[in-house]
Every structure is written in structure tokens, then in C-alpha cells.
Amino acid sequence: MTYCVGILVHNGLVMIADTRTNAGIDNIATFRKLHVFEMPGERAIGLATSGNLSVSQSVLSVLEEGIANPETGQVETLYNVQNMFQAAHLVGRAIRRVFEVDGASLEQHGLRFDIKVLLGGQIGHTPMRLFHVYSEGNAIEATVDTPFLQIGEPKYGKPILDRAMSHEVDIRDALKIGLISMDSTLQSNLSVGLPVDVFVAQRDELKAAVRCRITEQDAYFRDLRERWSSALRAAHQSIPHPPYIENI
Amino acid sequence: MTYCVGILVHNGLVMIADTRTNAGIDNIATFRKLHVFEMPGERAIGLATSGNLSVSQSVLSVLEEGIANPETGQVETLYNVQNMFQAAHLVGRAIRRVFEVDGASLEQHGLRFDIKVLLGGQIGHTPMRLFHVYSEGNAIEATVDTPFLQIGEPKYGKPILDRAMSHEVDIRDALKIGLISMDSTLQSNLSVGLPVDVFVAQRDELKAAVRCRITEQDAYFRDLRERWSSALRAAHQSIPHPPYIENI
């Protein structure tokens, strides 16, 4: 399984992804799921994948090779598309190309062609955007109303986002809340695991503000987990006992 | 969808269930999913169901009629079985009986025979126990290591249980934490809805300590939701900003 979350707030973008993959519960490995395509001052793009690892890696390879745009003939990559909408289209075309090659065989073996991509970033003077690209190659986009998108196992980490996240949240808080969301998932789902990769870009800076990997040893993340656990304990302890049971 | 949670702690049992059913998102209704079988001083049993509503109601009807025990010939109901293990077996037989009648037809129409039951309580001098009975009629049981069981949509409400629940928790705290778990699910999943039914029994009391329905108007539950929301906000606000982003 996987958990990746992308958050687009007024002053920037946060993307966080775990690194655990499993083919059966006795075949666990660590693979990077969050990839950054950066040309400082010109573009900063994050791409996170969930689903079948072979499909994800093939899509990445196709994106690195580039795809000829059927209209212009130009070979497009994430380093030369002109805006994030084109970038989402390019990722969709890469997914469809891998489907053409592998889809039928996977199906013959009873496997689903399964990939989901979070694609966020900004290119030149065009807007910063965040997309969720589906296995079919189509995409939806985060908006002011719904500033976060999740792929993989979204449920454990969704309550904190539902309560705390909005477009007006500062990017530093967005990162913190995203890490709490990741921690909730790590706590409740063994198939999501450390280390965790992080990509943060401020709006209009056109470069990564953060590109880092958080491991088990990371002091801040350990502290965040402990503080969050004690805060939750304190929170439920501070709520009075239910009156329905006062006669006990 | 449905969310029901059963919690068995050292001094008693808590069961909480929502009441929302849906056949498609435009066909929403309220049905009781938590039923109490009580003979004060002799037995107190709670039974919560998730899955196909018709199957759940049929199982309840079979349980009310009673089933002849193939070994003793006696017609067994939840009011005359001798202990909770027998009660779980009885519920399993009721599920299998409904499957015999309706299973094949459901399958012909592409529907899955789907029911999950939480069954908790205590009978006479036998132990208080909590079971999860499956569609197949077999069951698992809560233990000191894993004191809570969930049916329906478990994920949104699981993080707080994972962090806060243990066999040593007092029954009043178990009820409070169970209600927080329910609230997290209500917040994130529209197909789980108020009112919420509650059953609480203290160990060895052999009667319900709480049998109530919590509605939208319930002052305590409103207060709990608000306090929990503000506590979560305060909790993430009290955590320092990530150092990875300090240069912003």
C-alpha cells in the first residue's frame, strides 16, 4: 500500500509520500514514490505514485524518455512542458502508453492496471496547480474548496485534513498537518512505512523549498509523533465523562 | 454504510452504532442497527449489524423466533442460551439459515450476501465477551491485547482507538473514546450518520448501564464534538513548525 498527500494552499504546495511497497505481506521493500523535477527559477514539479510498482516505474521511464506531442511533433518531458495543465496531460499520455504495452497482459493474469499519480508544481509565470491523474489518464484538480488530494490509503489520514486544512492555511502549517496525517496512517496501517519523502514549493519561487527524506531517526518527526500522541491523550482526557453513565 | 464499534475493557462493555442506511446515495434512511437483549440480573447482550439491511433484519427475525439446537432439540434464543460463546454460535446459525434462504437469489442478482455482527455481553456467572460474527457464521473474539472490534467503515475511527484504547481503560473513558471514534467517522463519511445508539454494561452487573440514543440535539455529544475539534486544532498548533522549512 501507499499513502501520498498533496496540499495546495495560498502560498505554496506540499507533497508527502511514504516509501513502502509490498507484494504480499512477506515481500516488503522501500521504493521512492515521490519524484521532483526541478529547474530552479524556471519550474518545480513533484510527482507521487501509488498502485502497481511496475506500472509506476514504467510511467516514470516513459516520462524521462519523453513523448512526442501528436500535434506539434515536439518530444515533451516534464522539463519542457509549458504549464501544469500540459504536465498533467503528459502524465496521462505516459499512463496510456504503458497501458497499451502492459494492460492486456496484466489483465490476462487477473491483475488490474492500477496507478494513481499526484502531480503538483508550477512552471514559469503559469499558475501553481495540483492534479490527481487516474489509471485512465484523466485527471482532477485541487481547488480552493478542496485544497488537498490523497492517493493510496486515504482514510486514516483524512480526519485531521478534514478538520484542519483549508486554502488559507500557511504552507508551514500545511506541511505540519500533512505530516500528522502521514503519522496517523503510519500508526494504523502497517503497509505504509517510513522513510517519508517531502517536497515543498512556495508559490512563485519556482524552486523546491524542501526536498528531504524523513527517516525513523529524524528528531523533529519523532517529536511530532510524541507530541501528537500526548496531545490526543490530553484532548480526550480533557473532555468530561458522558452523562449517560454518571450513575456508575 | 455503517459504523459500529464494540469495546471490552476490564470493567465492562461499550457498544456504539450509527443508524444510517443507504441504497444508493439518493436513498438514505434511519434504521436501528444496535439491539439490546436484556433480562436484568440475568443477562445483558448487545448486537450490532452492518451489511445488507434485508439480511440483517432477517437474521434478527430468525433470532427472535429462535432456532432448534440440533443436539438438544431445545429452541434457542438470545434470552435462553447459557453463555456468550453459545450466543455467538446461535447468531452464526441464524446467519447461515438466512444464507440458505436468500444467498443464492442475492448471488443471481449480482449481490453479495453481506452481514457482519458485533455481539457483546454477559450471561449469568459466565464471562463477559465480545465477538465479531462474519457472513460465513464463524466468529472472532476481542481479547486483552485487542479490546475493540469494528464493523462497517472502520478506518476513520481507528486512529484514536489505536492510540487511546486498552483493556485497562475505564468504562467511562471507553465510552468517551468510542464516541470520539464515532465522531471522526461521522465527520469524514457522509454515509455514516446520527442518531447514534449506545449500549453500556458493567462487568458482573448483568444489566444495561446505558441504553440510549444520541441525536443531533444531544448537548453532551455536541460539546464533545466541539471540544475534540478545538483540541485537535490546539494540538497541531502547539507542535513547532518543521525545521525543514525554516528558511521560508
Side-chain angles (χ1 to χ4, degrees), chain A residues 5-223:
Chain A
V5 58
I7 305 169
L8 185 64
V9 291
H10 68 102
N11 58 347
L13 169 77
V14 172
M15 296 179 75
I16 307 173
D18 84 311
T19 54
R20 186 162 293 175
T21 65
N22 65 303
I25 60 162
D26 56 352
N27 189 351
I28 306 277
T30 299
F31 281 93
R32 173 175 287 276
K33 301 172 189 174
L34 175 62
H35 303 267
V36 177
F37 301 80
E38 188 184 14
M39 292 167 69
E42 207 268 312
R43 68 184 63 212
I45 300 171
L47 183 154
T49 58
S50 77
N52 184 296
L53 179 61
S54 129
V55 173
S56 300
Q57 291 187 335
S58 297
V59 167
L60 273 167
S61 295
V62 170
L63 285 172
E64 274 162 27
E65 280 185 2
I67 303 178
N69 184 316
E71 287 166 27
T72 63
Q74 193 205 9
V75 174
E76 289 186 343
T77 71
L78 288 175
Y79 287 110
N80 68 11
V81 287
Q82 298 296 306
N83 57 55
M84 288 305 298
F85 187 61
Q86 285 184 15
H89 268 255
L90 176 64
V91 171
R93 286 209 303 283
I95 292 173
R96 286 169 184 160
R97 181 154 298 187
V98 174
F99 180 75
E100 279 164 23
V101 175
D102 292 333
S105 286
L106 286 171
E107 204 176 308
Q108 279 173 354
H109 291 267
L111 294 170
R112 208 156 53 86
F113 181 84
D114 176 29
I115 180 170
K116 293 182 183 66
V117 176
L118 288 185
L119 179 76
Q122 189 172 18
I123 298 172
H125 297 295
T126 70
M128 177 171 260
R129 295 168 82 168
L130 171 64
F131 292 92
H132 174 167
V133 191
Y134 295 99
S135 296
E136 294 78 6
N138 58 332
I140 60 166
E141 180 178 6
T143 62
V144 172
D145 290 327
T146 301
F148 64 88
L149 298 172
Q150 305 167 288
I151 57 175
E153 168 52 75
K155 293 187 179 180
Y156 301 111
K158 190 161 178 283
I160 179 66
L161 294 170
D162 280 337
R163 287 166 191 276
M165 193 51 63
S166 78
H167 182 72
E168 287 68 41
V169 164
D170 180 75
I171 192 172
R172 287 168 297 182
D173 286 317
L175 173 56
K176 193 168 69 177
I177 295 164
L179 290 173
I180 294 171
S181 172
M182 176 59 76
D183 176 45
S184 294
T185 313
L186 294 170
Q187 289 277 351
S188 290
N189 188 328
L190 276 188
S191 73
V192 176
L194 285 168
V196 161
D197 290 317
V198 176
F199 167 62
V200 177
Q202 288 176 276
R203 198 177 288 267
D204 299 329
E205 290 290 317
L206 299 171
K207 62 182 170 78
V210 179
R211 246 178 111 159
C212 74
R213 170 161 288 192
I214 296 175
T215 66
E216 199 83 60
Q217 284 74 43
D218 185 280
Y220 174 78
F221 193 61
R222 287 169 78 128
D223 182 59

Side-chain angles (χ1 to χ4, degrees), chain B:
Chain B
M1 205 65 193
T2 290
Y3 180 49
C4 307
V5 58
I7 305 168
L8 185 64
V9 291
H10 68 101
N11 58 346
L13 169 77
V14 171
M15 296 178 75
I16 306 173
D18 85 311
T19 53
R20 186 161 294 174
T21 64
N22 65 303
I25 60 163
D26 56 351
N27 189 353
I28 305 279
T30 299
F31 281 93
R32 175 175 286 276
K33 301 172 189 174
L34 176 62
H35 303 266
V36 177
F37 300 81
E38 188 183 14
M39 293 167 69
E42 207 267 310
R43 69 185 62 211
I45 300 171
L47 183 153
T49 59
S50 77
N52 184 297
L53 180 61
S54 129
V55 173
S56 299
Q57 291 187 334
S58 296
V59 166
L60 273 167
S61 297
V62 171
L63 284 172
E64 274 161 27
E65 279 186 4
I67 302 177
N69 184 317
E71 287 166 26
T72 63
Q74 194 204 7
V75 174
E76 289 185 344
T77 71
L78 288 175
Y79 288 110
N80 67 13
V81 287
Q82 298 296 305
N83 57 55
M84 288 305 297
F85 188 60
Q86 285 185 15
H89 267 255
L90 176 64
V91 171
R93 286 210 302 282
I95 292 173
R96 286 169 183 159
R97 181 154 297 188
V98 176
F99 180 74
E100 281 165 23
V101 176
D102 292 332
S105 285
L106 286 172
E107 204 175 308
Q108 279 173 354
H109 290 267
L111 294 171
R112 208 157 52 87
F113 180 84
D114 176 30
I115 179 171
K116 294 184 181 64
V117 176
L118 288 185
L119 179 76
Q122 189 172 19
I123 298 171
H125 297 294
T126 69
M128 177 170 259
R129 295 168 82 166
L130 171 64
F131 293 92
H132 175 168
V133 191
Y134 294 99
S135 295
E136 294 78 5
N138 58 332
I140 60 164
E141 181 179 4
T143 62
V144 172
D145 290 326
T146 301
F148 64 88
L149 298 173
Q150 304 167 288
I151 56 175
E153 169 52 75
K155 293 187 180 182
Y156 302 111
K158 190 161 178 283
I160 178 65
L161 295 170
D162 279 338
R163 286 167 190 276
M165 192 52 63
S166 78
H167 182 72
E168 287 67 42
V169 164
D170 180 74
I171 192 171
R172 287 168 298 181
D173 286 316
L175 174 56
K176 193 168 70 178
I177 295 164
L179 290 174
I180 294 171
S181 171
M182 176 59 76
D183 176 46
S184 294
T185 314
L186 295 171
Q187 290 276 351
S188 290
N189 188 330
L190 276 187
S191 73
V192 176
L194 285 167
V196 161
D197 290 316
V198 177
F199 167 61
V200 178
Q202 287 175 276
R203 199 177 288 266
D204 300 328
E205 290 289 319
L206 299 171
K207 62 184 170 76
V210 179
R211 247 177 110 157
C212 73
R213 169 161 288 194
I214 296 174
T215 66
E216 200 83 58
Q217 284 74 44
D218 186 279
Y220 174 78
F221 193 62
R222 287 168 78 128
D223 183 59
L224 174 141
R225 304 183 87 170
E226 274 163 34
R227 281 173 187 260
W228 184 246
S229 276
S230 358
L232 286 196
R233 251 193 315 278
H236 78 73
Q237 281 162 358
S238 75
I239 296 176
H241 280 132
Y244 329 114
I245 200 172
E246 240 165 31
N247 55 332
I248 292 185

